mmCIF file of all heavy atoms in Angstrom:
data_model
loop_
_atom_site.group_PDB
_atom_site.id
_atom_site.type_symbol
_atom_site.label_atom_id
_atom_site.label_comp_id
_atom_site.label_asym_id
_atom_site.label_seq_id
_atom_site.Cartn_x
_atom_site.Cartn_y
_atom_site.Cartn_z
ATOM 1 N N SER A 82 0.839 -1.214 0.000
ATOM 2 C CA SER A 82 0.000 0.000 0.000
ATOM 3 C C SER A 82 0.865 1.251 0.000
ATOM 4 O O SER A 82 0.590 2.211 -0.727
ATOM 5 C CB SER A 82 -0.919 0.027 1.221
ATOM 6 O OG SER A 82 -1.911 -0.938 1.109
ATOM 7 N N GLU A 83 1.894 1.266 0.827
ATOM 8 C CA GLU A 83 2.792 2.423 0.895
ATOM 9 C C GLU A 83 3.550 2.613 -0.415
ATOM 10 O O GLU A 83 3.683 3.733 -0.918
ATOM 11 C CB GLU A 83 3.770 2.281 2.057
ATOM 12 C CG GLU A 83 3.121 2.344 3.413
ATOM 13 C CD GLU A 83 2.414 3.667 3.685
ATOM 14 O OE1 GLU A 83 2.817 4.699 3.113
ATOM 15 O OE2 GLU A 83 1.453 3.668 4.464
ATOM 16 N N LEU A 84 4.043 1.520 -0.992
ATOM 17 C CA LEU A 84 4.799 1.622 -2.244
ATOM 18 C C LEU A 84 3.907 2.087 -3.395
ATOM 19 O O LEU A 84 4.317 2.913 -4.221
ATOM 20 C CB LEU A 84 5.464 0.284 -2.575
ATOM 21 C CG LEU A 84 6.498 -0.231 -1.564
ATOM 22 C CD1 LEU A 84 7.100 -1.538 -2.056
ATOM 23 C CD2 LEU A 84 7.568 0.809 -1.276
ATOM 24 N N VAL A 85 2.684 1.569 -3.444
ATOM 25 C CA VAL A 85 1.742 2.004 -4.478
ATOM 26 C C VAL A 85 1.380 3.475 -4.279
ATOM 27 O O VAL A 85 1.346 4.248 -5.245
ATOM 28 C CB VAL A 85 0.477 1.113 -4.500
ATOM 29 C CG1 VAL A 85 -0.632 1.736 -5.335
ATOM 30 C CG2 VAL A 85 0.819 -0.275 -5.031
ATOM 31 N N SER A 86 1.142 3.880 -3.049
ATOM 32 C CA SER A 86 0.805 5.284 -2.783
ATOM 33 C C SER A 86 1.903 6.220 -3.264
ATOM 34 O O SER A 86 1.629 7.261 -3.880
ATOM 35 C CB SER A 86 0.572 5.506 -1.286
ATOM 36 O OG SER A 86 -0.578 4.844 -0.877
ATOM 37 N N ASN A 87 3.152 5.852 -3.002
ATOM 38 C CA ASN A 87 4.270 6.678 -3.477
ATOM 39 C C ASN A 87 4.329 6.725 -4.997
ATOM 40 O O ASN A 87 4.557 7.778 -5.583
ATOM 41 C CB ASN A 87 5.598 6.160 -2.920
ATOM 42 C CG ASN A 87 5.802 6.545 -1.476
ATOM 43 O OD1 ASN A 87 5.134 7.415 -0.949
ATOM 44 N ND2 ASN A 87 6.729 5.864 -0.825
ATOM 45 N N ALA A 88 4.122 5.577 -5.626
ATOM 46 C CA ALA A 88 4.158 5.545 -7.094
ATOM 47 C C ALA A 88 3.019 6.365 -7.688
ATOM 48 O O ALA A 88 3.212 7.088 -8.670
ATOM 49 C CB ALA A 88 4.091 4.097 -7.586
ATOM 50 N N VAL A 89 1.844 6.269 -7.101
ATOM 51 C CA VAL A 89 0.700 7.049 -7.590
ATOM 52 C C VAL A 89 0.994 8.539 -7.470
ATOM 53 O O VAL A 89 0.718 9.326 -8.372
ATOM 54 C CB VAL A 89 -0.589 6.661 -6.823
ATOM 55 C CG1 VAL A 89 -1.701 7.665 -7.051
ATOM 56 C CG2 VAL A 89 -1.041 5.262 -7.224
ATOM 57 N N ARG A 90 1.598 8.930 -6.378
ATOM 58 C CA ARG A 90 1.883 10.344 -6.121
ATOM 59 C C ARG A 90 2.994 10.889 -7.024
ATOM 60 O O ARG A 90 2.930 12.015 -7.488
ATOM 61 C CB ARG A 90 2.282 10.521 -4.658
ATOM 62 C CG ARG A 90 2.434 11.956 -4.218
ATOM 63 C CD ARG A 90 2.714 12.082 -2.725
ATOM 64 N NE ARG A 90 1.642 11.487 -1.927
ATOM 65 C CZ ARG A 90 1.785 10.401 -1.152
ATOM 66 N NH1 ARG A 90 2.934 9.799 -1.051
ATOM 67 N NH2 ARG A 90 0.758 9.928 -0.472
ATOM 68 N N HIS A 91 4.024 10.077 -7.314
ATOM 69 C CA HIS A 91 5.217 10.612 -7.967
ATOM 70 C C HIS A 91 5.469 10.151 -9.396
ATOM 71 O O HIS A 91 6.313 10.721 -10.066
ATOM 72 C CB HIS A 91 6.447 10.274 -7.123
ATOM 73 C CG HIS A 91 6.373 10.851 -5.748
ATOM 74 N ND1 HIS A 91 6.433 12.197 -5.507
ATOM 75 C CD2 HIS A 91 6.212 10.251 -4.540
ATOM 76 C CE1 HIS A 91 6.328 12.414 -4.204
ATOM 77 N NE2 HIS A 91 6.181 11.255 -3.599
ATOM 78 N N ALA A 92 4.770 9.133 -9.858
ATOM 79 C CA ALA A 92 5.030 8.609 -11.205
ATOM 80 C C ALA A 92 4.573 9.588 -12.275
ATOM 81 O O ALA A 92 3.836 10.534 -12.003
ATOM 82 C CB ALA A 92 4.336 7.261 -11.390
ATOM 83 N N ARG A 93 4.993 9.342 -13.493
ATOM 84 C CA ARG A 93 4.714 10.262 -14.586
ATOM 85 C C ARG A 93 3.787 9.712 -15.661
ATOM 86 O O ARG A 93 3.296 10.443 -16.480
ATOM 87 C CB ARG A 93 6.032 10.685 -15.258
ATOM 88 C CG ARG A 93 6.965 11.405 -14.319
ATOM 89 C CD ARG A 93 6.410 12.779 -13.999
ATOM 90 N NE ARG A 93 7.236 13.445 -13.014
ATOM 91 C CZ ARG A 93 6.822 13.777 -11.804
ATOM 92 N NH1 ARG A 93 5.613 13.500 -11.415
ATOM 93 N NH2 ARG A 93 7.624 14.386 -10.983
ATOM 94 N N ARG A 94 3.577 8.430 -15.697
ATOM 95 C CA ARG A 94 2.708 7.840 -16.714
ATOM 96 C C ARG A 94 1.456 7.297 -16.071
ATOM 97 O O ARG A 94 1.264 7.367 -14.872
ATOM 98 C CB ARG A 94 3.456 6.751 -17.468
ATOM 99 C CG ARG A 94 4.609 7.339 -18.274
ATOM 100 C CD ARG A 94 4.928 6.490 -19.446
ATOM 101 N NE ARG A 94 6.099 7.018 -20.129
ATOM 102 C CZ ARG A 94 6.990 6.270 -20.728
ATOM 103 N NH1 ARG A 94 6.856 4.967 -20.733
ATOM 104 N NH2 ARG A 94 8.013 6.823 -21.333
ATOM 105 N N GLU A 95 0.611 6.686 -16.864
ATOM 106 C CA GLU A 95 -0.716 6.273 -16.404
ATOM 107 C C GLU A 95 -0.765 4.909 -15.725
ATOM 108 O O GLU A 95 -1.816 4.509 -15.251
ATOM 109 C CB GLU A 95 -1.699 6.296 -17.581
ATOM 110 C CG GLU A 95 -1.897 7.682 -18.156
ATOM 111 C CD GLU A 95 -2.317 8.701 -17.102
ATOM 112 O OE1 GLU A 95 -3.224 8.403 -16.298
ATOM 113 O OE2 GLU A 95 -1.709 9.790 -17.050
ATOM 114 N N SER A 96 0.366 4.195 -15.679
ATOM 115 C CA SER A 96 0.313 2.869 -15.066
ATOM 116 C C SER A 96 1.527 2.641 -14.174
ATOM 117 O O SER A 96 2.551 3.297 -14.301
ATOM 118 C CB SER A 96 0.237 1.773 -16.138
ATOM 119 O OG SER A 96 1.415 1.752 -16.905
ATOM 120 N N ILE A 97 1.357 1.664 -13.272
ATOM 121 C CA ILE A 97 2.429 1.176 -12.416
ATOM 122 C C ILE A 97 2.386 -0.341 -12.489
ATOM 123 O O ILE A 97 1.402 -0.914 -12.956
ATOM 124 C CB ILE A 97 2.265 1.657 -10.953
ATOM 125 C CG1 ILE A 97 0.937 1.166 -10.370
ATOM 126 C CG2 ILE A 97 2.364 3.176 -10.876
ATOM 127 C CD1 ILE A 97 0.767 1.436 -8.889
ATOM 128 N N ARG A 98 3.432 -1.002 -12.031
ATOM 129 C CA ARG A 98 3.444 -2.465 -12.020
ATOM 130 C C ARG A 98 3.783 -2.938 -10.618
ATOM 131 O O ARG A 98 4.734 -2.461 -10.010
ATOM 132 C CB ARG A 98 4.452 -3.007 -13.023
ATOM 133 C CG ARG A 98 4.405 -4.511 -13.155
ATOM 134 C CD ARG A 98 4.480 -4.905 -14.621
ATOM 135 N NE ARG A 98 4.320 -6.326 -14.797
ATOM 136 C CZ ARG A 98 3.196 -6.904 -15.179
ATOM 137 N NH1 ARG A 98 2.127 -6.188 -15.409
ATOM 138 N NH2 ARG A 98 3.133 -8.196 -15.342
ATOM 139 N N VAL A 99 2.999 -3.887 -10.132
ATOM 140 C CA VAL A 99 3.213 -4.488 -8.815
ATOM 141 C C VAL A 99 3.702 -5.913 -9.038
ATOM 142 O O VAL A 99 3.135 -6.649 -9.847
ATOM 143 C CB VAL A 99 1.905 -4.492 -7.996
ATOM 144 C CG1 VAL A 99 2.093 -5.215 -6.673
ATOM 145 C CG2 VAL A 99 1.404 -3.079 -7.783
ATOM 146 N N MET A 100 4.757 -6.282 -8.311
ATOM 147 C CA MET A 100 5.325 -7.623 -8.428
ATOM 148 C C MET A 100 5.488 -8.229 -7.042
ATOM 149 O O MET A 100 5.882 -7.533 -6.104
ATOM 150 C CB MET A 100 6.681 -7.564 -9.128
ATOM 151 C CG MET A 100 6.561 -7.060 -10.564
ATOM 152 S SD MET A 100 7.982 -6.090 -11.120
ATOM 153 C CE MET A 100 7.845 -4.621 -10.139
ATOM 154 N N VAL A 101 5.189 -9.510 -6.924
ATOM 155 C CA VAL A 101 5.356 -10.242 -5.673
ATOM 156 C C VAL A 101 6.096 -11.525 -6.022
ATOM 157 O O VAL A 101 5.642 -12.298 -6.859
ATOM 158 C CB VAL A 101 3.996 -10.578 -5.018
ATOM 159 C CG1 VAL A 101 4.210 -11.199 -3.641
ATOM 160 C CG2 VAL A 101 3.111 -9.353 -4.929
ATOM 161 N N GLU A 102 7.238 -11.730 -5.373
ATOM 162 C CA GLU A 102 8.051 -12.909 -5.647
ATOM 163 C C GLU A 102 8.428 -13.594 -4.343
ATOM 164 O O GLU A 102 8.606 -12.934 -3.324
ATOM 165 C CB GLU A 102 9.354 -12.522 -6.340
ATOM 166 C CG GLU A 102 9.189 -11.873 -7.687
ATOM 167 C CD GLU A 102 10.534 -11.452 -8.230
ATOM 168 O OE1 GLU A 102 11.039 -10.407 -7.792
ATOM 169 O OE2 GLU A 102 11.078 -12.192 -9.071
ATOM 170 N N ARG A 103 8.577 -14.877 -4.430
ATOM 171 C CA ARG A 103 9.111 -15.637 -3.304
ATOM 172 C C ARG A 103 10.573 -15.875 -3.624
ATOM 173 O O ARG A 103 10.918 -16.741 -4.412
ATOM 174 C CB ARG A 103 8.345 -16.941 -3.135
ATOM 175 C CG ARG A 103 8.719 -17.683 -1.883
ATOM 176 C CD ARG A 103 7.825 -18.881 -1.716
ATOM 177 N NE ARG A 103 8.069 -19.531 -0.440
ATOM 178 C CZ ARG A 103 7.465 -20.640 -0.084
ATOM 179 N NH1 ARG A 103 6.587 -21.220 -0.904
ATOM 180 N NH2 ARG A 103 7.731 -21.184 1.081
ATOM 181 N N THR A 104 11.445 -15.093 -3.008
ATOM 182 C CA THR A 104 12.869 -15.149 -3.343
ATOM 183 C C THR A 104 13.603 -16.262 -2.606
ATOM 184 O O THR A 104 14.721 -16.615 -2.987
ATOM 185 C CB THR A 104 13.540 -13.797 -3.052
ATOM 186 O OG1 THR A 104 13.341 -13.467 -1.674
ATOM 187 C CG2 THR A 104 12.962 -12.703 -3.935
ATOM 188 N N ALA A 105 13.005 -16.784 -1.570
ATOM 189 C CA ALA A 105 13.540 -17.910 -0.803
ATOM 190 C C ALA A 105 12.343 -18.555 -0.107
ATOM 191 O O ALA A 105 11.268 -17.953 -0.049
ATOM 192 C CB ALA A 105 14.579 -17.416 0.218
ATOM 193 N N PRO A 106 12.504 -19.744 0.429
ATOM 194 C CA PRO A 106 11.354 -20.386 1.079
ATOM 195 C C PRO A 106 10.692 -19.535 2.160
ATOM 196 O O PRO A 106 9.490 -19.657 2.386
ATOM 197 C CB PRO A 106 11.957 -21.668 1.671
ATOM 198 C CG PRO A 106 13.106 -21.982 0.765
ATOM 199 C CD PRO A 106 13.672 -20.631 0.380
ATOM 200 N N ASP A 107 11.462 -18.660 2.811
ATOM 201 C CA ASP A 107 10.897 -17.853 3.896
ATOM 202 C C ASP A 107 10.960 -16.351 3.611
ATOM 203 O O ASP A 107 10.888 -15.545 4.520
ATOM 204 C CB ASP A 107 11.629 -18.155 5.205
ATOM 205 C CG ASP A 107 13.098 -17.750 5.149
ATOM 206 O OD1 ASP A 107 13.637 -17.564 4.034
ATOM 207 O OD2 ASP A 107 13.709 -17.618 6.223
ATOM 208 N N ARG A 108 11.079 -15.962 2.328
ATOM 209 C CA ARG A 108 11.182 -14.540 1.990
ATOM 210 C C ARG A 108 10.266 -14.182 0.831
ATOM 211 O O ARG A 108 10.178 -14.894 -0.154
ATOM 212 C CB ARG A 108 12.601 -14.199 1.567
ATOM 213 C CG ARG A 108 13.435 -13.640 2.722
ATOM 214 C CD ARG A 108 14.732 -13.199 2.168
ATOM 215 N NE ARG A 108 15.490 -12.067 2.467
ATOM 216 C CZ ARG A 108 15.686 -11.426 3.579
ATOM 217 N NH1 ARG A 108 15.040 -11.737 4.630
ATOM 218 N NH2 ARG A 108 16.512 -10.439 3.679
ATOM 219 N N VAL A 109 9.575 -13.055 0.989
ATOM 220 C CA VAL A 109 8.685 -12.532 -0.040
ATOM 221 C C VAL A 109 9.167 -11.132 -0.405
ATOM 222 O O VAL A 109 9.408 -10.311 0.483
ATOM 223 C CB VAL A 109 7.225 -12.459 0.467
ATOM 224 C CG1 VAL A 109 6.318 -11.796 -0.557
ATOM 225 C CG2 VAL A 109 6.719 -13.858 0.807
ATOM 226 N N ARG A 110 9.339 -10.896 -1.689
ATOM 227 C CA ARG A 110 9.722 -9.563 -2.173
ATOM 228 C C ARG A 110 8.510 -8.920 -2.826
ATOM 229 O O ARG A 110 7.896 -9.484 -3.729
ATOM 230 C CB ARG A 110 10.853 -9.637 -3.179
ATOM 231 C CG ARG A 110 11.227 -8.247 -3.720
ATOM 232 C CD ARG A 110 12.373 -8.309 -4.689
ATOM 233 N NE ARG A 110 13.586 -8.490 -3.930
ATOM 234 C CZ ARG A 110 14.751 -7.973 -4.268
ATOM 235 N NH1 ARG A 110 14.868 -7.252 -5.358
ATOM 236 N NH2 ARG A 110 15.818 -8.186 -3.529
ATOM 237 N N VAL A 111 8.169 -7.737 -2.351
ATOM 238 C CA VAL A 111 7.085 -6.928 -2.903
ATOM 239 C C VAL A 111 7.755 -5.747 -3.597
ATOM 240 O O VAL A 111 8.623 -5.104 -3.015
ATOM 241 C CB VAL A 111 6.155 -6.436 -1.774
ATOM 242 C CG1 VAL A 111 5.083 -5.524 -2.323
ATOM 243 C CG2 VAL A 111 5.546 -7.606 -1.035
ATOM 244 N N ALA A 112 7.368 -5.476 -4.840
ATOM 245 C CA ALA A 112 7.999 -4.385 -5.584
ATOM 246 C C ALA A 112 6.961 -3.637 -6.400
ATOM 247 O O ALA A 112 5.969 -4.212 -6.838
ATOM 248 C CB ALA A 112 9.085 -4.937 -6.504
ATOM 249 N N VAL A 113 7.225 -2.348 -6.599
ATOM 250 C CA VAL A 113 6.375 -1.510 -7.437
ATOM 251 C C VAL A 113 7.288 -0.744 -8.372
ATOM 252 O O VAL A 113 8.251 -0.104 -7.943
ATOM 253 C CB VAL A 113 5.524 -0.536 -6.596
ATOM 254 C CG1 VAL A 113 4.725 0.392 -7.498
ATOM 255 C CG2 VAL A 113 4.590 -1.311 -5.670
ATOM 256 N N SER A 114 6.995 -0.828 -9.666
ATOM 257 C CA SER A 114 7.782 -0.072 -10.642
ATOM 258 C C SER A 114 6.930 1.047 -11.225
ATOM 259 O O SER A 114 5.709 0.931 -11.334
ATOM 260 C CB SER A 114 8.291 -0.989 -11.764
ATOM 261 O OG SER A 114 7.230 -1.534 -12.497
ATOM 262 N N ASP A 115 7.619 2.146 -11.545
ATOM 263 C CA ASP A 115 6.946 3.272 -12.190
ATOM 264 C C ASP A 115 7.930 3.965 -13.121
ATOM 265 O O ASP A 115 9.110 3.626 -13.160
ATOM 266 C CB ASP A 115 6.341 4.235 -11.158
ATOM 267 C CG ASP A 115 7.380 4.929 -10.301
ATOM 268 O OD1 ASP A 115 8.233 5.644 -10.857
ATOM 269 O OD2 ASP A 115 7.332 4.773 -9.072
ATOM 270 N N PHE A 116 7.435 4.920 -13.849
ATOM 271 C CA PHE A 116 8.229 5.566 -14.884
ATOM 272 C C PHE A 116 8.871 6.879 -14.430
ATOM 273 O O PHE A 116 9.253 7.699 -15.249
ATOM 274 C CB PHE A 116 7.365 5.809 -16.128
ATOM 275 C CG PHE A 116 6.967 4.529 -16.801
ATOM 276 C CD1 PHE A 116 5.719 3.975 -16.575
ATOM 277 C CD2 PHE A 116 7.846 3.852 -17.628
ATOM 278 C CE1 PHE A 116 5.338 2.790 -17.177
ATOM 279 C CE2 PHE A 116 7.485 2.667 -18.225
ATOM 280 C CZ PHE A 116 6.223 2.131 -18.005
ATOM 281 N N SER A 117 9.009 7.066 -13.135
ATOM 282 C CA SER A 117 9.665 8.258 -12.599
ATOM 283 C C SER A 117 11.091 7.907 -12.200
ATOM 284 O O SER A 117 11.353 6.823 -11.685
ATOM 285 C CB SER A 117 8.899 8.775 -11.381
ATOM 286 O OG SER A 117 9.643 9.771 -10.724
ATOM 287 N N HIS A 118 12.001 8.835 -12.398
ATOM 288 C CA HIS A 118 13.386 8.638 -11.968
ATOM 289 C C HIS A 118 13.629 9.196 -10.573
ATOM 290 O O HIS A 118 14.719 9.034 -10.027
ATOM 291 C CB HIS A 118 14.342 9.292 -12.968
ATOM 292 C CG HIS A 118 14.377 8.582 -14.280
ATOM 293 N ND1 HIS A 118 15.040 7.398 -14.471
ATOM 294 C CD2 HIS A 118 13.788 8.860 -15.461
ATOM 295 C CE1 HIS A 118 14.875 6.988 -15.716
ATOM 296 N NE2 HIS A 118 14.113 7.853 -16.340
ATOM 297 N N ALA A 119 12.639 9.837 -9.975
ATOM 298 C CA ALA A 119 12.788 10.390 -8.632
ATOM 299 C C ALA A 119 12.812 9.242 -7.625
ATOM 300 O O ALA A 119 11.859 8.469 -7.533
ATOM 301 C CB ALA A 119 11.638 11.340 -8.321
ATOM 302 N N LEU A 120 13.904 9.124 -6.891
ATOM 303 C CA LEU A 120 14.048 8.038 -5.922
ATOM 304 C C LEU A 120 13.401 8.411 -4.595
ATOM 305 O O LEU A 120 13.442 9.569 -4.183
ATOM 306 C CB LEU A 120 15.528 7.728 -5.704
ATOM 307 C CG LEU A 120 16.288 7.262 -6.942
ATOM 308 C CD1 LEU A 120 17.750 7.031 -6.600
ATOM 309 C CD2 LEU A 120 15.670 6.009 -7.532
ATOM 310 N N PRO A 121 12.817 7.433 -3.922
ATOM 311 C CA PRO A 121 12.187 7.723 -2.633
ATOM 312 C C PRO A 121 13.254 8.047 -1.590
ATOM 313 O O PRO A 121 14.381 7.553 -1.656
ATOM 314 C CB PRO A 121 11.464 6.424 -2.289
ATOM 315 C CG PRO A 121 12.203 5.369 -3.035
ATOM 316 C CD PRO A 121 12.715 6.026 -4.290
ATOM 317 N N GLU A 122 12.882 8.881 -0.635
ATOM 318 C CA GLU A 122 13.804 9.268 0.432
ATOM 319 C C GLU A 122 13.181 8.959 1.783
ATOM 320 O O GLU A 122 12.060 9.373 2.068
ATOM 321 C CB GLU A 122 14.095 10.764 0.363
ATOM 322 C CG GLU A 122 14.852 11.189 -0.865
ATOM 323 C CD GLU A 122 15.118 12.683 -0.883
ATOM 324 O OE1 GLU A 122 15.297 13.277 0.205
ATOM 325 O OE2 GLU A 122 15.146 13.251 -1.974
ATOM 326 N N LEU A 123 13.926 8.235 2.593
ATOM 327 C CA LEU A 123 13.509 7.979 3.961
ATOM 328 C C LEU A 123 13.756 9.258 4.750
ATOM 329 O O LEU A 123 14.852 9.798 4.732
ATOM 330 C CB LEU A 123 14.331 6.830 4.540
ATOM 331 C CG LEU A 123 13.967 6.344 5.934
ATOM 332 C CD1 LEU A 123 12.541 5.833 5.977
ATOM 333 C CD2 LEU A 123 14.923 5.242 6.347
ATOM 334 N N ARG A 124 12.710 9.773 5.376
ATOM 335 C CA ARG A 124 12.872 11.019 6.113
ATOM 336 C C ARG A 124 12.081 10.965 7.406
ATOM 337 O O ARG A 124 11.253 10.086 7.609
ATOM 338 C CB ARG A 124 12.449 12.217 5.265
ATOM 339 C CG ARG A 124 10.995 12.231 4.852
ATOM 340 C CD ARG A 124 10.710 13.377 3.876
ATOM 341 N NE ARG A 124 9.310 13.682 3.788
ATOM 342 C CZ ARG A 124 8.650 14.543 4.556
ATOM 343 N NH1 ARG A 124 9.279 15.213 5.484
ATOM 344 N NH2 ARG A 124 7.367 14.758 4.391
#
């Protein structure tokens, strides 16, 4: 939800992509891609 919210707020095109992968038996990777080059900042 947080990653999608950031992409919705900062992306430049009309779509985003959400990906969910099991990278190991006990690990899940959640990712959101967008067409903006602005990197998120932890603040």
Side-chain angles (χ1 to χ4, degrees):
S82 289
E83 293 299 333
L84 298 182
V85 167
S86 292
N87 283 344
V89 166
R90 187 175 301 114
H91 300 292
R93 299 289 175 244
R94 294 207 185 146
E95 297 306 314
S96 65
I97 60 173
R98 186 136 185 101
V99 175
M100 296 147 292
V101 186
E102 298 176 281
R103 188 174 186 184
T104 57
D107 64 342
R108 264 186 140 36
V109 175
R110 178 178 284 214
V111 176
V113 176
S114 63
D115 65 60
F116 292 99
S117 170
H118 290 284
L120 299 178
E122 294 180 32
L123 184 61
R124 63 187 198 89

